[in-house]
Amino acid sequence: MANHKSARKRSIQSKVKNTVNSQYFSKIRTNLNKFTKSLKADNSEEATKSLQVINSIMAKAVKKGILKKQYMSRKLSSLSNQIKKN
């Protein structure tokens, strides 16, 4: 338990950041699962739509500093390559 005022504030801030970050990661994971399911079902239209949603969510996460830009570009590149293969 934090004893100083600044330490208490920092504890609250870290809890809030943790919840926001976990919400973003949850959204990303959910949409990645939708993407993989649509690829397995050979539904290319659904896959491209879910790729656009993933791109949007990841771009927002990069803007807020949750993800790194290089991770996002690498992930989107691999996903688009999967669509091209299929």
Side-chain angles (χ1 to χ4, degrees), residues 15-40:
K15 288 178 186 175
V16 169
K17 279 188 177 184
N18 188 356
T19 57
V20 170
N21 292 351
S22 63
Q23 287 172 353
Y24 270 97
F25 285 119
S26 176
K27 285 180 188 177
I28 291 169
R29 264 187 255 113
T30 302
N31 287 299
L32 283 173
N33 289 335
K34 287 180 185 177
F35 177 82
T36 55
K37 285 180 184 177
S38 62
L39 277 182
K40 288 181 182 177

Side-chain angles (χ1 to χ4, degrees), residues 3-73:
N3 292 322
H4 295 282
K5 187 177 179 181
S6 60
R8 280 191 218 117
K9 181 180 176 182
R10 203 71 186 126
S11 175
I12 292 168
Q13 285 176 338
S14 67
K15 288 178 186 175
V16 169
K17 279 188 177 184
N18 188 356
T19 57
V20 170
N21 292 351
S22 63
Q23 287 172 353
Y24 270 97
F25 285 119
S26 176
K27 285 180 188 177
I28 291 169
R29 264 187 255 113
T30 302
N31 287 299
L32 283 173
N33 289 335
K34 287 180 185 177
F35 177 82
T36 55
K37 285 180 184 177
S38 62
L39 277 182
K40 288 181 182 177
D42 291 330
N43 193 347
S44 62
E45 291 179 20
E46 182 98 13
T48 55
K49 286 181 184 177
S50 60
L51 181 65
Q52 290 174 350
V53 172
I54 292 168
N55 186 10
S56 173
I57 293 170
M58 285 185 144
K60 288 176 187 173
V62 167
K63 189 176 182 182
K64 291 181 185 272
I66 298 168
L67 295 177
K68 290 191 175 183
K69 190 176 180 181
Q70 184 181 4
Y71 171 78
M72 182 189 95
S73 62

